[in-house]
Amino acid sequence: MTLLPTSLVGSYAQPDWLIDRAKLAGRFPPRVRAKELWRVEEQYLEQAQDDATLLAIRAQERAGLDVITDGEMRRESYSNHMATALDGVDIDNPGTALDRSGHPNPVPRIAGEIRRTHPIERRDVEFLRANTDRTIKITVPGPFTMSQQAQNDFYPDAEAAAMAYAAAVNAEVKDLFEAGADVVQIDEPYMQARPEPARQYGLAALNAALEGVTGTTAVHLCFGYAAIIHERPEGYSFLPELAGCPVDQISIETAQSGLDLGVLRDLTDKTIILGVIDLSDPAVETAETVAGRVRRAFDHLPPEQIVIATDCGMKYLPRDVADGKMAAMAGAASILRAELG
């Protein structure tokens, strides 16, 4: 990998011809299936999603990003793609759980033993690997976050449910590396949203999801999509706890929040995926603005341990804005590499 590689956190902006973006923006991220969001008839949907994935790959390459994702083009949300594909989950009779905003939301209802009976994202990785020669990353929802986005009607407690999800994630992550992924990122935003249960059993579930995994792994914690959650706290409520976790990379957001980067001193053995693109502002940052946000981290970590990235997913941005912000990231990397010699 080159110095200060650039990457999306996960999602790119889905085309208007693929998904109804007005419906997407007018609701909280779906936890159960939301087939009404797709504009393409079901018989043509996989082909359309493949075409959209190719667009996402080429857009990232054209912008100059070093690490390429599939843009999560096939997903209605970052988590429901996997959460609704597991056995033991009743998606036809959903339950209810509070979202991180405090609003009730329909969620998968755990009605039996959670089991992963087949690969869920393997084809996504294979398609991505076949269509770019750059480093590739794929994302999966984390066990703690999925347990918080479900109604548990089967396991004796939330911890048992989280550990069952962990076994499913573990099998999926191993399969994704086998399929050709260079980096697998586990999305755990609810560790930030609900730090107490994250400390009680969420970290143990994440560790279980990583057990026996060989390959570069990442975990993503954020404050929520900027399009949905508008207020940002001054700091993370759950982050130093990850110092002892066997994950290689930790993804955090710093642009919109203006995060005090002193917290990085607790994570000196990790590579930090540094969010430096503000997704709440449709204005495209200049490369120098982005470079300035990255420079703040150099007081706490060497450049060799930093990946330049977006705060969170680009799912809710217009495509032209997403393209401009990706180009600003690549431009910032070029500026900083020249400065560092």
Side-chain angles (χ1 to χ4, degrees), residues 76-154:
E76 297 151 6
S77 79
Y78 74 95
S79 60
N80 78 333
H81 183 64
M82 179 166 175
T84 58
L86 300 172
D87 272 18
V89 174
D90 188 343
I91 59 174
D92 296 319
N93 300 287
T96 303
L98 295 181
D99 222 317
R100 66 184 299 163
S101 61
H103 292 80
N105 209 9
V107 296
R109 187 174 63 85
I110 304 173
E113 182 184 355
I114 293 170
R115 293 186 303 125
R116 171 190 174 273
T117 58
H118 63 280
I120 298 166
E121 297 179 24
R122 184 183 180 99
R123 181 181 178 273
D124 303 355
V125 170
E126 292 171 342
F127 187 89
L128 178 57
R129 180 72 286 163
N131 285 288
T132 186
D133 58 2
R134 302 190 190 184
T135 300
I136 62 170
K137 178 175 78 170
I138 194 76
T139 65
V140 296
F144 179 71
T145 291
M146 282 195 286
S147 73
Q148 299 298 296
Q149 295 177 354
Q151 178 176 308
N152 176 23
D153 289 350
F154 179 78

Side-chain angles (χ1 to χ4, degrees), residues 190-211:
Y190 273 66
M191 284 188 159
Q192 156 61 28
R194 297 175 184 169
E196 290 311 314
R199 293 185 186 100
Q200 292 166 14
Y201 60 85
L203 186 58
L206 177 60
N207 289 341
L210 293 165
E211 186 175 351

Side-chain angles (χ1 to χ4, degrees), residues 25-46:
R27 56 169 297 164
F28 288 101
R31 309 306 181 200
V32 293
R33 291 304 310 275
K35 294 182 179 181
E36 69 278 4
L37 294 177
W38 301 107
R39 292 188 183 274
V40 179
E41 294 179 28
E42 189 162 357
Q43 68 201 84
Y44 306 118
L45 185 56
E46 183 176 83

Side-chain angles (χ1 to χ4, degrees), residues 203 206-207 210 217 219 240-248 250 269-270:
L203 186 58
L206 177 60
N207 289 341
L210 293 165
T217 54
V219 61
E241 292 86 349
L242 293 172
C245 176
V247 75
D248 302 298
I250 298 174
D269 65 334
K270 306 295 185 186

